[in-house]
Amino acid sequence: MKKFNPSEENLTQYIFFTGKGGVGKTSVACATAVGLADKGKKILLVSTDPASNLQDVFNMPLNNKGTIIKEVPNLTVINLDPEQAAYEYKESVIAPYRGKLPESVIANMEEQLSGSCTVEVAAFNEFSDVITNENKRKDYDHIIFDTAPTGHTLRMLQLPSAWNTFIAENTTGASCLGQLSGLEDRKEIYKLAVKTLTDNSMTTLFLVSRPDETPLKEVERSSNELLDIGIKAQHLIINGVLENYDANDTISKQLYERQQKALNNRSEALLKLTTYIVPLRSYNMTGIENIRNMLTADISTQANTVELKDTHFQTLENLIDDLYTSGKRVIFTMGKGGVGKTTIAGNIARGLAAKGVKVLLTTTDPANHLAYVNTKVEGISISHIDEKAVLAEYSKNILDKAREAMGDADLSYIEEDLRSPCTQEIAVFNAFAEVVAKADDQVVVIDTAPTGHTLLLLDATQSYHHEVERTQGNITPAVQNLLPRLRNEKETEVVIVTLPEATPVFEAERLQMDLQRAGIKNKWWAINSSLLLTSTTSPFLQAKAQSEIQWIEKVKELSNNNFIVIPWKESVE
């Protein structure tokens, strides 16, 4: 694997960077844009990322019209806000019905259009205008996009049935219906955008990951999704690779060995992709000079020795003590993949069991489930929700019902919608409700849960209750009691798990807002894998640790000082 140097690559006019939150795709996209502009190329950099920190990167306010970066004369930056676009789009769809339909129906429509799928469609709506703009095509050598649409969204846009009015009226139970209603007039623009995306002579896509097991598995899923709809010009960038380690520092050696293990265990599918690395940097990706250095500067030029500040943060033990003394019966760990929520759920379960509490630990991760079984901790029983099995059963029920009233084209839309993240959450909802009901006689610790949006979607006009009646014939007490129980802060605690980095903290903040909309209160936050709390003597890692402080301060503010910090360990989720 060689280091990524865009000026040495034969790049197409359109360049996309995609990947899960926190892998560094914005930084890599910015560094690519600056590097090519410095070589004399005319560059347009466009962000459609809801968690975009482009304004921090360039240290200036940005807008959706285009800002010329003074320090990089050949670079223009457009910062689109898909969440604002999604809000405006939602209002445009719903406004005609206000005052004409009951408030309960309006509330249901609003929630249908409040999820991540709608934000994605809104983002696609925004960047379609850029990718199909002839003037921009003529004015710029390269147009670089920070964040590409997912395969799910692109497949949905390619289905003829997605544009039919049945979407808004359908009652078959699929989870994110209606995202495309009202966009018929943009159909041809979307077609041209998708055609450009799938043209290898015009578009190159870089999948961005980190040298860790979970992000590499996620990027493989994204790659397969995009291959499904014809985007074959894919390359892989692995960001944040520690190129060598300090022989005198245990933490540095462990980090290096863990990364190498993840890299060596890449799947066959990923090994087939042309792969580049970007070295781990000790500094935050803000400011033009740091972005310029990201792809070119040697680590040693940046690794200045920094004194670690005195840190007296609350610990995992403090969190467990509070959960124990407050008598919480249902405890969730929530967060994006790879932040360590499964590991923390297991540690909370062990801590409560050590205090004599009877604990049921539930996970949707088969691998971690087996790990906890092997520990055989007294007082802990294990429950595993098989997401694939419950999703298959749920999908079958939906499709069987849909076949009674729909043709094949419409069924294709339903099948695609059943692949959405919201549908997967709804599919596990019944099993999830049954597990939570067991909190009557034990403490239930769950390492995953439906998001606030999905809970509201299910609750709106009792849509989930109607769906259960239709597909299964009865509403169990577990389902009926679930939301009241989750909204009872004396009984339920949601521990939001994040990392001490920009994107994971921004995404965790959105998760908190989502829960608040659903009436679910959250007290505790956990910042995982902090180098600041390790005993590293590596000057490079000490400098890296200092960059965590601003994000720890941000979590302190968001959590009202109810947060813990967990040191980086050799083995995490």
Side-chain angles (χ1 to χ4, degrees), residues 91-343:
E91 282 305 300
S92 73
V93 172
I94 294 171
Y97 301 102
R98 292 191 193 280
K100 298 176 183 176
L101 294 176
E103 278 303 308
S104 61
V105 176
I106 296 296
N108 184 282
M109 290 173 68
E110 286 181 331
E111 198 51 54
Q112 289 276 355
L113 291 165
S114 292
S116 58
C117 298
T118 304
V119 175
E120 265 204 36
V121 170
F124 191 80
N125 198 27
E126 294 279 291
F127 89 67
S128 291
D129 288 334
V130 178
I131 203 170
T132 59
N133 187 297
E134 274 301 316
N135 290 331
K136 288 183 171 60
R137 192 184 296 239
K138 291 173 186 172
D139 291 345
Y140 296 99
D141 295 305
H142 298 288
I143 299 176
I144 298 172
F145 291 89
D146 166 27
T147 299
T150 65
H152 165 63
T153 296
L154 290 170
R155 282 193 305 264
M156 189 173 283
L157 290 165
Q158 287 179 311
L159 291 169
S161 56
W163 306 95
N164 294 346
T165 55
F166 92 88
I167 294 170
E169 301 159 2
N170 178 32
T171 57
T172 57
S175 62
C176 291
L177 300 174
Q179 307 100 313
L180 300 173
S181 57
L183 291 178
E184 177 70 29
D185 59 328
R186 296 187 57 81
K187 188 174 178 181
E188 292 307 311
I189 291 175
Y190 282 6
K191 272 188 181 176
L192 181 56
V194 171
K195 183 181 176 185
T196 304
L197 270 170
T198 54
D199 186 336
N200 295 353
S201 68
M202 298 178 71
T203 299
T204 305
L205 183 130
F206 288 97
L207 298 149
V208 184
S209 185
R210 281 193 169 177
D212 285 305
E213 190 177 327
T214 302
L216 285 168
K217 283 180 180 174
E218 289 179 341
V219 86
E220 182 184 357
R221 281 195 291 272
S222 298
S223 173
N224 290 333
E225 274 199 341
L226 293 164
L227 281 171
D228 282 348
I229 48 94
I231 299 180
K232 296 183 172 65
Q234 297 182 17
H235 305 282
L236 175 62
I237 294 175
I238 302 175
N239 180 39
V241 175
L242 187 63
E243 293 185 286
N244 46 55
Y245 62 88
D246 185 336
N248 298 315
D249 181 54
T250 306
I251 302 297
S252 174
K253 185 171 184 288
Q254 288 176 344
L255 176 59
Y256 176 83
E257 289 176 347
R258 193 177 89 193
Q259 288 191 353
Q260 289 302 310
K261 182 181 177 184
L263 292 173
N264 292 333
N265 290 338
R266 297 198 310 283
S267 68
E268 286 296 320
L270 291 185
L271 287 170
K272 289 176 184 174
L273 297 178
T274 303
T275 302
Y276 307 88
I277 66 163
V278 174
L280 183 66
R281 302 302 186 195
S282 62
Y283 47 91
N284 277 320
M285 287 303 142
T286 55
I288 300 294
E289 283 315 302
N290 281 352
I291 285 295
R292 271 201 177 101
N293 287 333
M294 182 183 184
L295 301 179
T296 57
D298 187 73
I299 290 172
S300 61
T301 64
Q302 299 294 332
N304 302 317
T305 304
V306 181
E307 281 281 321
L308 290 183
K309 291 185 178 179
D310 237 5
T311 50
H312 298 288
F313 303 119
Q314 294 187 86
T315 65
L316 186 61
E317 287 69 30
N318 297 130
L319 167 60
I320 291 166
D321 285 344
D322 183 71
L323 295 171
Y324 176 72
T325 56
S326 61
K328 294 290 165 64
R329 307 296 301 170
V330 181
I331 301 161
F332 296 113
T333 54
M334 292 184 73
K336 296 291 182 182
V339 296
K341 59 185 179 297
T342 303
T343 304

Side-chain angles (χ1 to χ4, degrees), residues 74-86:
N74 289 320
L75 176 60
T76 301
V77 178
I78 291 177
N79 197 24
L80 301 173
D81 185 348
E83 290 193 332
Q84 179 62 29

Side-chain angles (χ1 to χ4, degrees), residues 391-417:
L391 177 58
E393 184 181 352
Y394 177 81
S395 299
K396 183 179 183 300
N397 288 338
I398 296 296
L399 289 170
D400 286 350
K401 185 72 175 178
R403 284 190 185 96
E404 296 173 10
M406 292 181 182
D408 288 344
D410 290 349
L411 278 174
S412 296
Y413 181 86
I414 298 299
E415 286 172 345
E416 184 51 52
D417 200 62

